[in-house]
C-alpha cells in the first residue's frame, strides 16, 4: 500500500489523517507542534523531523496548512518537501489558498517532477471527523482518479472542477458567501435585539425563513450559549476573504460587499477574536452596540 505523507495536523488535518489511518493507510506525519500528532503516533504513524523527511518517504503527500505563505515555506523552504519527493508523486494541497497561488505551486511542482492537485474542502471540524467533507478538486483526470480512494475516505463527495486552480476558485466563492451570510445574520440579530425582540424568537423566526443561509442553523447553539470554541477560526475566514479579494482584483471584478465583510472580520481579529470561531462576529457586533 502507498505511504501517505500528511503535513498540517490542526483542527482539520488531524481529523482527516485520523480517518486515513483508521482505514488502514500507513502514514508519515509532520506538524510544527508535535503534540498534535500524539494520537496518530500512538496508533502507528511515523513521525518525520521535517517536511523534507516526509517527502523522502511519501508516495502521496497531503498538506492541510493555514495560509499560502506557510504552504510555500513548507513546500520549498529550506526544509521543504518538494526537493525530496519522488518523481511523479502527487502533492494534494487541501489548504485554502487562492487560485493564482495554486497555479504558482503547480508550476513549481512541475519543476520538481511532482504532480500537484488543488483540493480545498468545504465542511468544518465535525464533517472532517466523520469523513464527510466536500472536496473541490482541480487537476488532471488520471491523477484525480489515483487519489479518489483517499478522498472517498476523508469526504462524502468530490467535485472535479477542471484544471488546477478551479478547486481554489470555487472555494473562494463558498467562503465569501459563508462570511457574508454570517455577517448578514449577526447584524440582523443585533438589530432585532436592539428593537427588543426576544433572542429566542429571532432564532426561531429568522432561521426558518428562506432568506437565511442553511449553514447558519448549525451555528445557533454557539450564538445562543456564547460558546465560541473554534470549529472554523475567525482568523481563517478573514484570511480567506482577503484571498478572495486578491482574486477579485486579479480578475478585475468589483466586490464591495466582500471587502466590507473582510474588513469587519479584520477589526474583530484586531480586537482579539482571531482564535474564536468565526461566528463570534455576532459577539463582536454586539460589543459595539
Ligand atoms: P488550524 O487548526 O489553525 O491548523 C493550521 C495548520 O497550519 C496547523 O498544522 C499549524 O501548525 C500549521 N501552521 C500554522 N502556522 C504555521 C507556521 N508558521 N509554521 C508551520 N506550520 C504552521 O487550522 P484548520 O482549521 O485546520 O485549517 C487548516 C486549513 O484548512 C486552512 O487553510 C483553513 O482555511 C482551511 N479550512 C478550515 C476549515 C475549518 O472549518 N476549520 C474548513 C475548511 C478549510 P500548528 O499545529 O503547529 O499550529
Amino acid at each position: 500500500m502507498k505511504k501517505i505523507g500528511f503535513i498540517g495536523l490542526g483542527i482539520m488535518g488531524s481529523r482527516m489523517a485520523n480517518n486515513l489511518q483508521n482505514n488502514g493507510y500507513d502514514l508519515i506525519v509532520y506538524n510544527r507542534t508535535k503534540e498534535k500528532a500524539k494520537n496518530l503516533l500512538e496508533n502507528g504513524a511515523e513521525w518525520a523531523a521535517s517536511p523534507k523527511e516526509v517527502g523522502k518517504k511519501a508516495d502521496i503527500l497531503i498538506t492541510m496548512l493555514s495560509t499560502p505563505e506557510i504552504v510555500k515555506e513548507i513546500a520549498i523552504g529550506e526544509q521543504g518537501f518538494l526537493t525530496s519527493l519522488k518523481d511523479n508523486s502527487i502533492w494534494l494541497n487541501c489548504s485554502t489558498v487562492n487560485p493564482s497561488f495554486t497555479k504558482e505551486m503547480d508550476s513549481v511542482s512541475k519543476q520538481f517532477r511532482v504532480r500537484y492537485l488543488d483540493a480545498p474542502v468545504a465542511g468544518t471540524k465535525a464533517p472532517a471527523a466523520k469523513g464527510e467533507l466536500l472536496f473541490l478538486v482541480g487537476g488532471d483526470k488520471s491523477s484525480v482518479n489515483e487519489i479518489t480512494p483517499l478522498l472517498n475516505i476523508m469526504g462524502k463527495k468530490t467535485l472535479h472542477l477542471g484544471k488546477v486552480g478551479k478547486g481554489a476558485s470555487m472555494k473562494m466563492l463558498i467562503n465569501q458567501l459563508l462570511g457574508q451570510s454570517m455577517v448578514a445574520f449577526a447584524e440582523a440579530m443585533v438589530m432585532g435585539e436592539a428593537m427588543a425582540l426576544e433572542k429566542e424568537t429571532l432564532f426561531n423566526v429568522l432561521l426558518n425563513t428562506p432568506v437565511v443561509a442553511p449553514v447558519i442553523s448549525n451555528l445557533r447553539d454557539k450564538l445562543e450559549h456564547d460558546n465560541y470554541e473554534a470549529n472554523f477560526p475567525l482568523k481563517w475566514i478573514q484570511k480567506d476573504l482577503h484571498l478572495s479579494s486578491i482574486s477579485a482584483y486579479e480578475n478585475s471584478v468589483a466586490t464591495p460587499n466582500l471587502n466590507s465583510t473582510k474588513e469587519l472580520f479584520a477589526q474583530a481579529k484586531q480586537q482579539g477574536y482571531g482564535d474564536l470561531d468565526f461566528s463570534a462576529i455576532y459577539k463582536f457586533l454586539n460589543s459595539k452596540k
Side-chain angles (χ1 to χ4, degrees):
M1 192 180 249
K2 287 187 191 302
K3 190 147 184 134
I4 312 299
F6 209 113
I7 302 180
L9 302 170
I11 294 171
M12 299 296 283
S14 58
R15 289 167 175 81
M16 293 159 72
N18 186 45
N19 284 330
L20 292 176
Q21 186 174 59
N22 287 343
N23 280 273
Y25 278 95
D26 187 16
L27 300 185
I28 176 159
V29 299
Y30 171 81
N31 193 54
R32 176 181 62 172
T33 310
K34 186 176 177 182
E35 177 64 19
K36 294 188 191 169
K38 193 165 173 272
N39 284 346
L40 293 166
L41 300 181
E42 281 170 3
N43 292 318
E46 184 181 348
W47 174 253
S50 66
K52 195 175 206 146
E53 288 302 313
V54 180
K56 276 183 194 158
K57 295 192 183 169
D59 300 299
I60 294 173
L61 191 145
I62 303 175
T63 45
M64 192 48 164
L65 292 158
S66 50
T67 64
E69 293 76 14
I70 299 304
V71 171
K72 195 169 190 170
E73 170 64 24
I74 298 280
I76 54 173
E78 207 181 317
Q79 287 298 317
F81 59 77
L82 266 183
T83 54
S84 60
L85 268 175
K86 295 168 206 146
D87 281 7
N88 207 34
S89 48
I90 291 179
W91 169 19
L92 182 74
N93 186 17
C94 300
S95 327
T96 304
V97 293
N98 48 316
S100 54
F101 176 80
T102 293
K103 287 173 197 156
E104 183 190 335
M105 287 302 103
D106 181 45
S107 66
V108 176
S109 299
K110 285 197 173 94
Q111 289 165 24
F112 290 100
R113 294 168 298 282
V114 168
R115 289 177 285 161
Y116 180 88
L117 289 176
D118 165 31
V121 303
T124 185
K125 190 171 167 182
K130 290 190 219 146
E132 291 179 357
L133 295 169
L134 168 65
F135 280 92
L136 306 164
V137 182
D140 75 89
K141 184 101 186 93
S142 67
S143 304
V144 175
N145 288 343
E146 239 177 273
I147 49 103
T148 294
L150 301 179
L151 301 182
N152 287 344
I153 289 169
M154 297 183 285
K156 64 175 179 200
K157 192 169 182 182
T158 295
L159 297 175
H160 182 203
L161 297 162
K163 57 188 184 185
V164 165
K166 300 287 185 196
S169 298
M170 191 63 84
K171 179 64 183 167
M172 294 294 98
L173 304 181
I174 290 177
N175 276 25
Q176 188 171 318
L177 287 165
L178 177 65
Q180 290 173 343
S181 303
M182 185 65 236
V183 167
F185 184 73
E187 247 177 34
M189 282 295 295
V190 171
M191 188 171 156
E193 288 166 64
M195 294 189 296
L197 286 159
E198 289 291 328
K199 196 168 166 180
E200 198 184 348
T201 309
L202 285 166
F203 279 120
N204 289 342
V205 174
L206 295 178
L207 292 179
N208 284 300
T209 60
V211 293
V212 174
V215 69
I216 304 297
S217 291
N218 300 334
L219 300 165
R220 175 174 180 163
D221 194 56
K222 285 193 162 305
L223 272 54
E224 259 187 327
H225 297 106
D226 203 30
N227 164 19
Y228 296 108
E229 187 196 337
N231 291 336
F232 181 31
L234 186 144
K235 63 187 173 188
W236 298 152
I237 189 82
Q238 190 258 336
K239 176 257 308 183
D240 294 347
L241 298 173
H242 167 67
L243 298 177
S244 248
S245 179
I246 291 175
S247 307
Y249 170 75
E250 288 170 346
N251 289 283
S252 302
V253 176
T255 50
N257 203 341
L258 160 66
N259 286 306
S260 64
T261 305
K262 168 179 76 102
E263 290 307 309
L264 185 63
F265 280 107
Q267 283 174 333
K269 191 172 96 173
Q270 276 169 359
Q271 297 293 317
Y273 287 68
D275 290 323
L276 300 180
D277 194 70
F278 82 113
S279 54
I281 201 69
Y282 165 65
K283 186 184 173 82
F284 176 71
L285 287 174
N286 245 330
S287 73
K288 298 283 159 202
K289 270 199 312 211

